[in-house]
């Protein structure tokens, strides 16, 4: 996982996934890496950003359209991860789909 | 900072701030806490989520309108923090304004 994503000019879509994990790893790290790898091969994928501390994890993925988001949601391996997430990895989460209207980058 | 934010029904706005920090703290933690405290007193503030690891920090704040975001951007103490951010704290960042169209919560 690198730094912030270099995305094209808006408009495009952002999926904001904010999660509180359960105790222990239980194969989570491996799955998370695998999901990023899979997502980045999906049509319409524009980038991903992720940060995690003791309290919360936030992953924001960027997409060209709602259809691309729908396709990723329905990806077979991703469905398995979603189910495991609910039963094993997550205490709770918020998932938001938003349309990016403007962006700014700053580089020192 | 607690877990994910409990936001009202969309539509509303999300400001996604993804940053790569410079070395050392240089008063950053104190300022970050202070900014969250100040933001939460602003008109139109709906919630905030934040996570930070070695590579990246992501803070997502939620607002009722573009006008509320503009007011927060122009808050005097926040302007000082923005300037110090560019000169001292941040190696680089991406700032995105997006309109949340739908959301889902999951609680175990």
């Amino acid at each position: 996982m690198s730094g912030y994503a270099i995305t094209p000019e808006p408009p495009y879509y952002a999926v904001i996934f904010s999660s509180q994990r359960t105790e222990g790893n239980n194969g989570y790290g491996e799955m998370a890496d695998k999901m990023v790898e899979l997502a980045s091969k999906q049509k319409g994928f524009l980038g991903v950003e992720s940060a995690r501390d003791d309290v919360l994890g936030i992953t924001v993925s960027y997409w060209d359209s709602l259809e691309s988001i729908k396709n990723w949601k329905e990806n077979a391996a991703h469905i398995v991860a979603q189910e495991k997430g609910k039963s094993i990895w997550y205490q709770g989460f918020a998932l938001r789909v938003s349309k990016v209207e403007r962006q700014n980058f700053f580089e020192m």
Side-chain angles (χ1 to χ4, degrees), chain A residues 42-60:
Chain A
Q42 288 271 313
K43 191 174 165 292
F45 175 86
L46 301 178
V48 64
E49 293 165 347
S50 199
R52 170 163 301 281
D53 56 34
D54 294 343
V55 181
L56 201 70
I58 302 178
T59 298
V60 190

Side-chain angles (χ1 to χ4, degrees), chain A residues 16-20 52 56-59 90 92-96:
Chain A
I16 307 164
F17 181 67
S18 304
S19 62
Q20 289 162 259
R52 170 163 301 281
L56 201 70
I58 302 178
T59 298
Y90 299 120
F93 62 73
L95 180 75
R96 296 173 177 97

